[in-house]
Amino acid sequence: MKLNFAENIAFYETGDGSNTLINKVTNETYHSKHGAVQESMHVFIKTGLDFVLGNRHRPLKILEVGFGTGLNALLTADYNCVEPFVYHALEPFLVPLDMISNTNYTRYLNQKHLKDYLVAQYKKQTELELNPMTLYLGNCEVKIFNTRLEEFETDLKYDLIYYDAFSRHSQQEMWEGETIEKIVSLLAPGGVFVTYSVTGNLKRAIRDLGLVVERLTGAPGKREMLRAIKPSL
Ligand SMILES: C[S@@+](CC[C@H](N)C(=O)[O-])C[C@H]1O[C@@H](n2cnc3c(N)ncnc32)[C@H](O)[C@@H]1O
C-alpha cells in the first residue's frame, strides 16, 4: 500500500497558527483544524503524559498509533526530556522528509530534538529501509514501525497509549471490534489510553474490555475527549 503524498497530501494552517497535513481525497486532517499543537498538547501531553508521570514504572513505555508528522513524539520528548522513556509509534504511510521539514513546528519545539529527528528521517530515506527506524530525542528512544496496528506484533505492554488514528468517518475499522480489542490488549495493568475522539460505541467497547472510562474536556473546538485506565492486577 502506498500513498502519493505529492498528489494527495497538502499543508493546512490550523487555528493556532501551526500547520498540519490534509488528505485532499478524504478531507481528513492529521490534527484538529482548531490547532494542531494545541490539540496534541491537550489530549496527549497534558491529559495523557502528565497524568502518568510520577506514578508509573520506569522507563515509561509509550505507544502511539498513527505517527504521522511526529509531532506527538517531539512534544513528548520536549515535555519529559529528563527521564528516559521508550516510545514506539506505528505508521503505515511514512510522511516524506520534505513535508516534515516544511511543517512550521520549529517554532514550537526543542531545536535539538527536531534536528535529531530530521537527521534520522534523512538517513532512513537516503541510506537504508530501516524498519523500525530508531532515533534518540534527548534521553528517549523512539522507534517508528512502518506497519498498521492490525499487523503489529510485540511482547511489550505499554503504560500509555496515544490513539491518534484518523476519525471514524474515514477509518471506521480503527474504532471498533478487533482493532479496539488489540489496542487494549497492548496496555499494561494500570496503563492509560487517551484519544481525541469519544463516541458511545467506543466507550462501550472499551468498558466491555474492563477499562474505566473517563470523558474529559476536549481540546479547543471539541467538547470531549476520552481517557481510559486498565485496572491494576
Ligand atoms: C490523525 S493522523 C495522526 C497524526 C500524528 N499523530 C501527528 O502528530 O502528525 C492518523 C495517522 O494514522 C495513520 N494510520 C492509518 N491507518 C493506520 C493503521 N491501520 N495503523 C496505524 N496507523 C494508521 C495515518 O497514516 C496517519 O498518519
Side-chain angles (χ1 to χ4, degrees):
M1 252 189 322
K2 281 228 162 202
L3 176 63
N4 186 333
F5 275 87
E7 264 181 30
N8 296 332
I9 307 288
F11 288 104
Y12 182 99
E13 187 180 332
T14 68
D16 68 358
S18 59
N19 280 336
T20 189
L21 302 178
I22 185 163
N23 184 318
K24 292 186 277 182
V25 180
T26 60
N27 208 28
E28 279 275 333
T29 47
Y30 280 51
H31 303 90
S32 162
K33 289 182 176 168
H34 295 277
V37 169
Q38 185 173 261
E39 178 189 51
S40 288
M41 282 303 294
H42 178 82
V43 175
F44 300 109
I45 307 302
K46 301 234 168 87
T47 315
L49 181 63
D50 198 43
F51 181 71
V52 300
L53 282 177
N55 57 1
R56 300 288 146 185
H57 297 123
R58 293 292 179 272
L60 189 69
K61 293 194 268 317
I62 303 174
L63 176 67
E64 176 177 16
V65 176
F67 182 75
T69 60
L71 180 62
N72 290 336
L74 287 159
L75 288 172
T76 299
D78 289 0
Y79 195 75
N80 177 45
C81 55
V82 183
E83 291 188 47
F85 63 81
V86 170
Y87 194 106
H88 288 173
L90 312 184
E91 180 52 66
F93 305 108
L94 293 167
V95 179
L97 181 66
D98 58 331
M99 282 206 145
I100 293 170
S101 48
N102 281 321
T103 60
N104 60 355
Y105 296 151
T106 341
R107 290 179 11 212
Y108 306 92
L109 296 166
N110 175 312
Q111 301 301 303
K112 165 90 173 62
H113 292 166
L114 187 61
K115 189 168 155 240
D116 291 347
Y117 171 50
L118 293 174
V119 168
Q121 287 281 3
Y122 178 77
K123 280 199 178 129
K124 177 176 170 64
Q125 292 182 20
T126 54
E127 291 172 10
L128 308 158
E129 280 294 303
L130 295 173
N131 187 17
M133 175 177 90
T134 304
L135 64 140
Y136 294 91
L137 302 176
N139 282 331
C140 309
E141 183 189 86
V142 175
K143 279 187 193 289
I144 304 157
F145 295 81
N146 185 200
T147 181
R148 303 186 322 142
L149 168 62
E150 297 88 320
E151 276 100 46
F152 178 59
E153 287 182 14
T154 179
D155 293 331
L156 280 189
K157 300 287 177 197
Y158 297 91
D159 304 302
L160 174 61
I161 292 181
Y162 295 162
Y163 201 68
D164 203 7
F166 282 131
S167 75
R168 191 179 187 85
H169 177 68
S170 65
Q171 275 199 299
Q172 188 175 344
E173 73 283 3
M174 296 300 285
W175 299 95
E176 60 190 27
E178 285 177 10
T179 318
I180 292 299
E181 278 172 35
K182 170 140 191 194
I183 196 66
V184 167
S185 76
L186 293 172
L187 262 185
V192 173
F193 169 97
V194 274
T195 188
Y196 65 89
S197 172
V198 194
T199 62
N201 284 347
L202 179 67
K203 270 188 300 168
R204 256 188 310 282
I206 291 188
R207 265 203 202 110
D208 288 350
L209 293 164
L211 273 65
V212 176
V213 172
E214 294 176 278
R215 268 165 41 184
L216 302 167
T217 307
K222 276 229 156 192
R223 211 152 48 95
E224 292 179 328
M225 60 160 285
L226 184 142
R227 180 167 67 200
I229 304 171
K230 196 174 214 179
S232 303
L233 289 175

